[in-house]
Amino acid sequence: YKQIQQNKRRTVIILIGFVLLIGAIAGIFAYIYKDPWIAVSTVIAFAVSMISIKFLMNFVKKHDFKCFGYYRIILGILVILYFLLLNR
């Protein structure tokens, strides 16, 4: 039970870090480039990443990492092959 509580606490800390970070990133981009659309696109990218993170966290709670590991290995091989064939 204690391990579950620690995992939940870590998850909340990570998500709070992401939430605090997005405001800073959006503000910095808007200030540097003087374009409010960059800030808007940063916020949209953050929302999509939060949905992706939530999906992955729920998936990992219900399943193991085998699927994810196979996916990463296959993707890594495809990327390596792509760059090897591209340089010919």
Side-chain angles (χ1 to χ4, degrees):
Y1 180 74
K2 188 175 181 180
Q3 183 68 27
I4 293 171
Q5 290 296 350
Q6 286 177 345
N7 287 341
K8 285 183 181 179
R9 190 175 309 141
R10 288 181 190 145
T11 302
V12 169
I13 289 170
I14 290 170
L15 291 177
I16 289 173
F18 278 121
V19 170
L20 293 175
L21 185 64
I22 189 61
I25 291 172
I28 289 169
F29 279 135
Y31 178 76
I32 290 173
Y33 295 108
K34 308 285 191 249
D35 186 6
W37 286 108
I38 292 177
V40 171
S41 64
T42 304
V43 171
I44 291 171
F46 172 74
V48 171
S49 69
M50 289 301 291
I51 292 168
S52 300
I53 290 169
K54 183 173 180 162
F55 170 76
L56 185 60
M57 298 280 276
N58 287 333
F59 183 82
V60 169
K61 286 178 187 175
K62 296 176 185 171
H63 303 89
D64 58 358
F65 279 109
K66 282 183 185 177
C67 262
F68 186 69
Y70 294 143
Y71 154 73
R72 296 298 294 174
I73 290 169
I74 292 170
L75 182 65
I77 290 170
L78 290 174
V79 168
I80 290 170
L81 288 175
Y82 173 77
F83 283 109
L84 286 176
L85 295 175
L86 185 69
N87 289 332
R88 284 190 172 182

